[in-house]
Amino acid sequence: MVGDVGAATASSRSRDEPSFGLTAEQVEYAAWVRRAAEDLSGIEPVHGAVNRPLVKTMGAAGLLRGLFGGDPDDEPRDAAAMQLCLLREMLATVNTEAETALALQGLGCYPILQSGDDATRDRWVPGVARGDVVPAFALSEPDAGSDAGALALEARPDGDGWTLHGTKTWISNAPDADVYSVFARTTPGAKARGVTGFAVAGDSPGLTGERLDMVAPHALGTLHFDGVRVSRDDVLGEVDDGFAVAMRTLDLFRPSVGAFAVGMAQAALDASLSWAQERELFGGRLIDQQATQHTLAEMATRIEAGRLLVRRAAAAYDGGAPAHEITTSAAQAKLFATETAQWVVDQAVQLHGARGLQKGHLLERLYREVRAPRIYEGASEVQRTIIARGLMKATNPGRAGT
């Protein structure tokens, strides 16, 4: 395990860190992550751009190494879904900026980790784990968001490689990343079957971009490819098989988006419980109102359900379940957890009243940040389609793709 997990004991368990479905070692790891997240509070936040001091500090603390599973002293060569979910949930409960920074390190790096050759992995992955290298996942385009098969970024054959031409947008960490996992069309008209993944250095000639100003403080931007040169050594996986490379990463990451949502929802519930016991009105406390009790009970129940779905999906991935089962369970986890988090945070704001929307309040920040996970890495509508296809495949395999 990453970090000083040995210092954590069973006494580290608390009501804020549910142990169901986890081994004792995983519970200790979650407790360590939460303590490490609290130590990051002194780092100045950055709105709309990569916070390199934060990323570097997380690398030094061992948090980023946790993205890759295995022992801390091993070369990062793998990914563990459950550990990723624990990282994201615990970080989100304490520090959403740190959670997002960690998540983007993993999202941008996993196509390289999982599908790059040894030289490409050695060039980029160790630096990601240390916090020296900032990666990005470049899939979305102005006219190809949910419909990834409509990608239009063109990879034109050029000698023993290609040149990239076109635009990517809504790209996390752009335009400041050091390396991009880029998905481009190598075979025109082939939809998802004609896409190839490439590892593209951020300082490549012909690559430019600008930041996007979003409601949430996430670092997102647009990238422009004007004849950016890539070679066969930069290919991730096989030529024309990039869609599978991207989906492999998303199947791993979707449960952890749910974990991020669960962490935010838990933070909102914790704040609401504290406030409801402090707030005096109508001659008593807010928590003495039956309506408040029922709202808190519903918040807690939905969070627990979301957490279980997330951990079930992570266990399916780590356990090597069939691909269709991994895809369906990941979609269920992301769908339920992100929709739940939106509802929980909204209810928390309602319980706090106007103060919950005051600039700088925890809930004001969560209210802005909780909306995006229902869209990125597959909108809720896409997740429902994936789940429905899984149901059709299970009951009528011949009609699964219709």
Side-chain angles (χ1 to χ4, degrees):
M1 283 295 179
V2 178
D4 189 17
V5 179
T9 65
S11 63
S12 301
R13 302 182 188 184
S14 73
R15 64 180 181 275
D16 297 323
E17 292 159 0
S19 60
F20 54 79
L22 301 180
T23 66
E25 185 181 32
Q26 288 169 331
V27 171
E28 292 170 359
Y29 179 70
W32 171 78
V33 171
R34 183 156 185 160
R35 291 196 303 273
E38 291 167 350
D39 292 340
L40 301 172
S41 60
I43 299 175
E44 191 71 22
V46 174
H47 186 102
V50 175
N51 189 337
R52 287 188 180 267
L54 176 61
V55 172
K56 183 66 177 176
T57 301
M58 293 172 71
L63 287 166
L64 298 181
R65 178 60 185 79
L67 287 165
F68 304 107
D71 294 324
D73 295 333
D74 294 342
E75 285 294 318
R77 293 294 191 191
D78 201 358
M82 187 68 77
Q83 184 161 309
L84 175 61
C85 288
L86 293 176
L87 272 166
R88 296 193 69 176
E89 181 184 342
M90 293 300 108
L91 282 170
T93 305
V94 178
N95 187 324
T96 53
E97 185 183 15
E99 189 286 330
T100 301
L102 175 135
L104 298 185
Q105 291 290 106
L107 180 63
C109 183
Y110 278 171
I112 297 172
L113 176 80
Q114 296 174 323
S115 302
D117 62 21
D118 288 344
T120 302
R121 287 197 297 265
D122 290 342
R123 180 182 179 185
W124 298 114
V125 175
V128 171
R130 293 192 304 268
D132 297 330
V133 170
V134 172
F137 185 84
L139 180 64
S140 296
E141 297 178 8
D143 296 317
S146 296
D147 184 6
L151 291 179
L153 182 74
E154 186 181 5
R156 299 176 187 170
D158 181 45
D160 61 349
W162 299 263
T163 55
L164 305 181
H165 304 262
T167 300
K168 294 286 186 182
T169 195
W170 321 118
I171 305 305
S172 299
N173 285 341
D176 304 316
D178 300 306
V179 61
Y180 296 92
S181 294
V182 177
F183 298 89
R185 180 156 302 286
T186 39
T187 300
K191 297 185 178 180
R193 292 186 177 89
V195 172
T196 300
F198 299 96
V200 180
D203 59 358
S204 297
L207 179 57
T208 59
E210 62 272 351
R211 295 170 182 166
L212 295 170
D213 190 9
M214 309 298 291
V215 170
H218 304 161
L220 272 82
T222 297
L223 296 172
H224 306 287
F225 296 80
D226 185 12
V228 175
R229 173 77 182 172
V230 289
S231 71
R232 291 198 172 269
D233 291 338
D234 300 315
V235 171
L236 303 176
E238 301 294 332
V239 174
D240 283 348
D241 197 35
F243 189 78
V245 173
M247 291 307 105
R248 184 181 178 193
T249 292
L250 293 178
D251 279 345
L252 169 62
F253 245 76
R254 279 172 176 157
S256 78
V257 176
F260 174 36
V262 167
M264 286 191 287
Q266 186 67 54
L269 175 60
D270 292 345
S272 298
L273 283 166
S274 178
W275 172 248
Q277 293 177 80
E278 296 173 5
R279 174 62 167 159
E280 297 282 343
L281 79 168
F282 304 125
R285 300 177 303 164
L286 178 60
I287 203 167
D288 295 329
Q289 301 289 322
Q290 187 180 65
T292 300
Q293 294 173 7
H294 287 186
T295 297
L296 292 169
E298 185 71 17
M299 291 164 72
T301 301
R302 293 194 192 189
I303 292 170
E304 298 287 306
R307 184 177 283 117
L308 283 170
L309 278 172
V310 165
R311 293 183 180 172
R312 173 181 174 271
Y317 187 97
D318 289 342
H324 70 274
E325 181 181 326
I326 291 172
T327 299
T328 302
S329 63
Q332 290 174 327
K334 182 183 186 294
L335 171 66
F336 187 85
T338 57
E339 294 286 339
T340 290
Q342 179 85 47
W343 182 86
V344 167
V345 171
D346 186 71
Q347 293 301 308
V349 170
Q350 195 71 16
L351 288 172
H352 281 75
R355 63 184 41 80
L357 293 177
Q358 188 172 355
K359 196 73 173 177
H361 193 282
L362 168 67
L363 289 173
E364 180 268 338
R365 176 170 53 78
L366 291 176
Y367 197 70
R368 286 185 289 113
E369 294 203 32
V370 77
R371 187 61 182 86
R374 291 172 60 204
I375 297 174
Y376 66 60
E377 294 179 41
S380 292
E381 292 76 13
V382 172
Q383 305 311 316
R384 292 186 178 99
T385 297
I386 292 170
I387 295 164
R389 286 176 179 170
L391 292 172
M392 289 188 286
K393 185 171 184 177
T395 58
N396 192 348
R399 295 181 58 84
T402 61

